[in-house]
Amino acid sequence: MQTYPEILDFFMTLFGSILTDIREKTPLVHHMTNYVTVNDCANITLCIGASPVMAHAEEEVGEMVALAGALVLNIGTLDTLQIDRMFIAAKAAEKYGIPIILDPVGAGATSLRTKTAQRMIQELSISVLKGNAGEIGTLAGKQAQVRGVDSGGVNGDPTEITCGLAERLSCTVVMSGPIDIISDGSRTLLCENGHPYMGRISGTGCMAASVIGSCAAVTQDYLSASATGVSAFGIAGERAAVDAAGPGSFKCRLFDSMASVRSDDVDRYGRIRSV
Amino acid sequence: MQTYPEILDFFMTLFGSILTDIREKTPLVHHMTNYVTVNDCANITLCIGASPVMAHAEEEVGEMVALAGALVLNIGTLDTLQIDRMFIAAKAAEKYGIPIILDPVGAGATSLRTKTAQRMIQELSISVLKGNAGEIGTLAGKQAQVRGVDSGGVNGDPTEITCGLAERLSCTVVMSGPIDIISDGSRTLLCENGHPYMGRISGTGCMAASVIGSCAAVTQDYLSASATGVSAFGIAGERAAVDAAGPGSFKCRLFDSMASVRSDDVDRYGRIRSV
Amino acid sequence: MQTYPEILDFFMTLFGSILTDIREKTPLVHHMTNYVTVNDCANITLCIGASPVMAHAEEEVGEMVALAGALVLNIGTLDTLQIDRMFIAAKAAEKYGIPIILDPVGAGATSLRTKTAQRMIQELSISVLKGNAGEIGTLAGKQAQVRGVDSGGVNGDPTEITCGLAERLSCTVVMSGPIDIISDGSRTLLCENGHPYMGRISGTGCMAASVIGSCAAVTQDYLSASATGVSAFGIAGERAAVDAAGPGSFKCRLFDSMASVRSDDVDRYGRIRSV
């Protein structure tokens, strides 16, 4: 395991600079996501400094994706029509070299979700796959528990599962949890930023994907983009939790905090280490 | 009319214990609801201690409902496709003995809403039907006024109408209002918790159904579940209104308050009486 | 250019009285809008004193619109099914003399959006067309930049473009921006209320249309309704920005402020002038 300063040599300057780049370039981040937390995704994207777009009609989704810096797919409230449209959008993203971030919400809970997520990781060029232990475990072919859209954990070593799936898919995989595991198959990082409060409101998982998408829109180093995203969002969560009177206040403050996380905050307060 | 202590003998211990049970079991509460307030429903469900799920695709909705402790149907932004999917979900709920909470939003305002709600109460095993005076009055066959999704009142005695409809449908009926009326046809309770501020934001009616659904997921005594739900949510509203600077602050605080309502708060501050 | 007192003679009393009328009559404002900010639209409509309704099913949308005082169409997440339903709703609005407010979100960004908005302004009796510089410029046939749903500006004089389009369409056109331009083709007003913070959250453009719709529901003077709406909403934004700790707090306070803007606040703090 590498120490913090050793990591710093390789990554830290870059991590902070990703936030700087987002705020300079304000990339469009196209979302095809669930109708439960879509507003939160739009706002967190603005807070980190990018610009959210939501569009789904088959007549325009490819055209809109072509303008974007990243495409976030979230199957939280999927149906067959939406799946078809996600594939149209994803094909456009592939054509234009736009990174795709996939949040396989509820994979493992129903067979539609499991099969859809499996089909997506097989047929599409996913840049970042982000899910909880149950979802990532399911997609890695492990015995995993998913209860609705909540993770019930996974059998086996989470780091190995994440790393193995990343290697198999040739993409970056993020297994979210109290300690986020981020791997591209060869390099694996752990991020300890975040706060239990984040599990007490709806949408933090979805928002994390939006933040990662914003980062992936400005660098092709998707491992660093993912680590920066989960760390910056986690720092925002830590700060929002201070003195929060409850989940409502926490959510309000989470947006405030995300908007005020500075580039050097990630370098300074990011609790990221290499495995 | 029974006095408060007399009620206490029969109900009060149970009421508080319902909250305790929710927080211990964190039941899944499946929602098929409108796209306006769905995020509020998800968050209030988390605040009371349950776990919200939203899914609608015909390929998975039955499978997801089978995992849930309650199914909340809200026709606030219905269309024929959604109605079909609600029936699929409801049939699964019936099969697995999962209680169905119906919020017939706008029944009385358009014939699609009236007919859909009528069909649901006739063809489905509804456990709790919750609506405002106009909606419940309409479904009871009374002359009632519904203006958009707002109640304009009902002709006749609200308590009799609620009790009569509950008896006819063999379910619990909640007529929401400044004083909520809750009846299973033989027993009728009145709940005076709540605050006028709750009418100044969108979604409190929908959230009440989510809270009732969370309660109904842990007890088969749906009268008590409904009384506990409206009382606990009303207490949260009362507390949120204190020092609220306006509707935005109130809404934020409503989630905070809901999360902090304790089991014995319902027993202590619940203003529930029997008729 | 007319001075402030001169404007006052013609308009100011009316402006304030529009807010008074909304709060007395609480008109229904029917929305067919995007799924990203629909909850914000519902809440801001309540805050200004009107009553929001959302319905889209072809079986009921005409019936519901007939009850409303205004119809707000927002193409932020359009698809062909929604477009068809918007036309059904609009035809009902025309039949009953109900004003239509059109927010052509993203016109200029994709051809579906541009063509849909063009078809709407050609085939429907729009009372108020409200968009950013890129959207209004696109619909005026000018070279305009639209990036996702963000305006990139327009070539030419914004006031002339707005006035010219209003004249051509025989309706009121609002080009939103740091200075809002409001014209009915013969009279043109500028409104300087508002705050840069309003661009840092999702949905302020959509909410502005809801506020204008609420105003248009109580007067047939759509120029005054639009000026009152953007001014009152801008004043709310200015007040919400004071001491806001970030975008989350700002949004929460925006609803508080909107609810507390009084009729005479518009007359006193409205920075509206004639061109």
Side-chain angles (χ1 to χ4, degrees):
Chain A
M1 186 175 293
Q2 290 189 289
T3 63
Y4 189 77
E6 283 168 339
I7 304 284
L8 267 176
D9 289 345
F10 294 100
F11 288 110
M12 279 295 144
T13 310
L14 181 58
F15 287 180
S17 73
I18 288 174
L19 276 198
T20 308
D21 283 354
I22 294 172
R23 281 149 188 185
E24 259 172 31
K25 299 176 183 169
T26 60
L28 294 184
V29 180
H30 192 106
H31 290 74
M32 300 185 76
T33 186
N34 67 76
Y35 47 73
V36 183
T37 64
V38 58
N39 185 265
D40 299 331
C41 291
N43 276 308
I44 208 73
T45 302
L46 282 167
C47 287
I48 199 172
S51 183
V53 187
M54 282 75 178
H56 63 273
E58 44 273 53
E59 291 84 358
E60 72 163 359
V61 71
E63 196 180 347
M64 196 67 108
V65 166
L67 305 170
L71 171 63
V72 176
L73 302 180
N74 172 310
I75 63 168
T77 52
L78 83 177
D79 57 37
T80 50
L81 183 58
Q82 194 195 35
I83 296 167
D84 290 345
R85 287 163 165 170
M86 285 184 174
F87 273 86
I88 294 171
K91 291 299 173 191
E94 290 176 358
K95 181 177 167 191
Y96 295 104
I98 294 162
I100 302 172
I101 289 78
L102 174 62
D103 192 344
V105 181
T110 68
S111 83
L112 178 66
R113 287 168 193 251
T114 305
K115 283 179 187 164
T116 300
Q118 282 170 339
R119 211 185 123 209
M120 285 178 164
I121 59 176
Q122 279 157 17
E123 297 181 19
L124 299 175
S125 299
I126 304 297
S127 294
V128 183
L129 171 68
K130 181 214 73 74
N132 59 35
E135 292 155 356
I136 297 298
T138 295
L139 295 178
K142 305 293 172 186
Q143 205 164 4
Q145 291 77 43
V146 178
R147 192 168 158 275
V149 295
D150 300 329
S151 175
V154 60
N155 290 352
D157 178 69
T159 304
E160 275 175 28
I161 289 169
T162 304
C163 182
L165 185 60
E167 195 177 2
R168 174 157 76 81
L169 300 178
S170 301
C171 77
T172 293
V173 175
V174 179
M175 184 189 282
S176 60
I179 299 178
D180 299 308
I181 305 165
I182 306 133
S183 178
D184 65 2
S186 58
R187 298 170 300 170
T188 300
L189 300 172
L190 304 180
C191 175
E192 297 191 50
N193 291 111
H195 193 279
Y197 237 121
M198 299 173 90
R200 295 182 58 192
I201 62 169
S202 173
T204 41
C206 310
M207 287 189 258
S210 296
V211 171
I212 292 172
S214 302
C215 294
V218 297
T219 174
Q220 292 189 314
D221 176 357
Y222 301 126
L223 183 78
S224 296
S226 300
T228 302
V230 298
S231 176
F233 188 51
I235 292 168
E238 292 164 13
R239 293 177 177 178
V242 177
D243 298 327
S249 305
F250 172 76
K251 183 173 169 180
C252 179
R253 294 160 64 95
L254 181 61
F255 294 108
D256 291 351
S257 299
M258 187 73 258
S260 69
V261 169
R262 293 192 321 248
S263 299
D264 60 349
D265 286 338
V266 178
D267 296 340
R268 204 173 297 173
Y269 303 108
R271 288 184 285 149
I272 303 169
R273 56 196 162 87
S274 158
V275 185
Chain B
M1 185 176 293
Q2 290 190 289
T3 63
Y4 188 77
E6 283 168 339
I7 304 284
L8 267 176
D9 290 344
F10 293 100
F11 288 110
M12 279 295 144
T13 311
L14 181 59
F15 287 179
S17 72
I18 289 174
L19 276 198
T20 308
D21 283 354
I22 294 172
R23 281 149 187 183
E24 259 172 31
K25 299 177 184 169
T26 60
L28 294 184
V29 180
H30 192 106
H31 289 74
M32 301 185 77
T33 186
N34 67 77
Y35 46 73
V36 182
T37 65
V38 59
N39 185 266
D40 298 332
C41 291
N43 276 308
I44 207 73
T45 302
L46 283 167
C47 287
I48 200 172
S51 183
V53 187
M54 282 75 179
H56 62 273
E58 44 273 54
E59 291 84 359
E60 72 163 358
V61 71
E63 195 179 348
M64 196 67 107
V65 166
L67 306 170
L71 170 64
V72 176
L73 302 180
N74 172 310
I75 63 168
T77 52
L78 83 177
D79 57 37
T80 50
L81 183 58
Q82 193 196 35
I83 296 166
D84 289 346
R85 287 163 165 170
M86 285 183 174
F87 272 86
I88 294 172
K91 291 299 173 192
E94 290 176 358
K95 181 177 167 191
Y96 295 104
I98 294 161
I100 302 172
I101 288 77
L102 173 62
D103 193 344
V105 181
T110 69
S111 84
L112 178 67
R113 287 168 193 250
T114 305
K115 283 178 187 163
T116 300
Q118 282 170 339
R119 211 185 123 209
M120 285 177 164
I121 59 176
Q122 280 157 17
E123 297 181 19
L124 300 175
S125 299
I126 303 297
S127 294
V128 183
L129 171 68
K130 180 214 73 74
N132 59 35
E135 292 155 356
I136 297 298
T138 295
L139 295 178
K142 305 293 172 186
Q143 205 164 4
Q145 291 77 43
V146 179
R147 192 169 158 275
V149 295
D150 300 329
S151 175
V154 61
N155 289 353
D157 178 69
T159 304
E160 275 175 28
I161 290 169
T162 304
C163 181
L165 186 60
E167 195 177 1
R168 174 156 76 82
L169 300 177
S170 300
C171 77
T172 293
V173 175
V174 179
M175 184 190 282
S176 61
I179 299 178
D180 299 309
I181 305 164
I182 306 133
S183 179
D184 65 2
S186 59
R187 298 170 300 170
T188 300
L189 300 173
L190 303 180
C191 175
E192 297 191 51
N193 292 111
H195 193 279
Y197 238 121
M198 299 173 90
R200 294 182 59 192
I201 62 169
S202 173
T204 42
C206 310
M207 287 189 258
S210 297
V211 171
I212 292 172
S214 302
C215 294
V218 296
T219 174
Q220 292 189 313
D221 176 357
Y222 301 125
L223 183 78
S224 296
S226 300
T228 303
V230 298
S231 177
F233 189 51
I235 291 168
E238 292 164 13
R239 293 178 177 178
V242 177
D243 298 327
S249 305
F250 172 76
K251 182 173 169 180
C252 179
R253 294 160 64 95
L254 181 61
F255 294 109
D256 291 351
S257 299
M258 187 73 258
S260 70
V261 169
R262 294 192 321 247
S263 298
D264 60 349
D265 286 338
V266 178
D267 296 340
R268 203 173 297 173
Y269 304 108
R271 288 184 285 150
I272 303 169
R273 56 197 162 89
S274 159
V275 184
Chain C
M1 186 175 293
Q2 289 189 290
T3 63
Y4 188 76
E6 283 168 340
I7 304 284
L8 267 176
D9 289 344
F10 293 100
F11 288 110
M12 279 295 144
T13 311
L14 182 58
F15 287 0
S17 73
I18 289 174
L19 276 198
T20 308
D21 283 354
I22 294 172
R23 281 149 188 184
E24 259 172 31
K25 299 177 184 169
T26 60
L28 295 184
V29 180
H30 192 106
H31 289 74
M32 300 186 77
T33 186
N34 67 76
Y35 47 72
V36 182
T37 65
V38 58
N39 184 265
D40 298 331
C41 291
N43 275 308
I44 207 73
T45 302
L46 282 167
C47 287
I48 200 172
S51 183
V53 187
M54 282 75 178
H56 63 272
E58 44 273 52
E59 291 84 358
E60 72 163 358
V61 71
E63 195 179 347
M64 196 67 107
V65 166
L67 306 170
L71 171 64
V72 176
L73 302 179
N74 171 309
I75 63 168
T77 52
L78 83 177
D79 57 36
T80 51
L81 183 58
Q82 193 195 36
I83 295 167
D84 290 345
R85 288 163 165 170
M86 285 184 173
F87 273 86
I88 294 171
K91 291 299 173 191
E94 290 176 358
K95 181 177 167 191
Y96 296 105
I98 294 162
I100 302 172
I101 289 77
L102 174 62
D103 193 344
V105 181
T110 69
S111 84
L112 178 66
R113 287 168 193 250
T114 305
K115 283 178 188 164
T116 300
Q118 282 170 339
R119 211 186 123 209
M120 285 177 164
I121 59 176
Q122 279 157 17
E123 298 181 19
L124 300 175
S125 299
I126 304 297
S127 294
V128 183
L129 171 68
K130 181 214 73 74
N132 60 35
E135 292 155 356
I136 297 298
T138 295
L139 295 178
K142 306 293 172 186
Q143 205 165 2
Q145 291 77 43
V146 178
R147 192 168 158 275
V149 295
D150 300 330
S151 175
V154 60
N155 290 352
D157 178 69
T159 304
E160 275 176 28
I161 289 169
T162 304
C163 182
L165 186 60
E167 195 177 2
R168 175 156 75 82
L169 300 178
S170 301
C171 77
T172 293
V173 175
V174 179
M175 184 190 281
S176 61
I179 300 178
D180 299 309
I181 306 165
I182 307 133
S183 178
D184 65 2
S186 58
R187 297 171 300 169
T188 300
L189 300 173
L190 303 180
C191 175
E192 297 191 50
N193 292 112
H195 193 279
Y197 237 121
M198 299 173 90
R200 294 183 58 192
I201 62 169
S202 173
T204 42
C206 309
M207 287 189 258
S210 296
V211 171
I212 292 171
S214 302
C215 294
V218 296
T219 174
Q220 292 189 313
D221 176 357
Y222 301 126
L223 183 79
S224 297
S226 300
T228 303
V230 298
S231 177
F233 188 51
I235 291 168
E238 292 165 13
R239 293 177 177 178
V242 177
D243 298 327
S249 305
F250 172 76
K251 183 173 170 180
C252 179
R253 295 160 63 94
L254 182 60
F255 294 109
D256 291 352
S257 299
M258 186 74 258
S260 69
V261 169
R262 294 193 321 248
S263 299
D264 60 349
D265 286 337
V266 178
D267 296 340
R268 203 173 297 172
Y269 303 108
R271 288 184 286 149
I272 303 169
R273 56 195 161 89
S274 159
V275 184

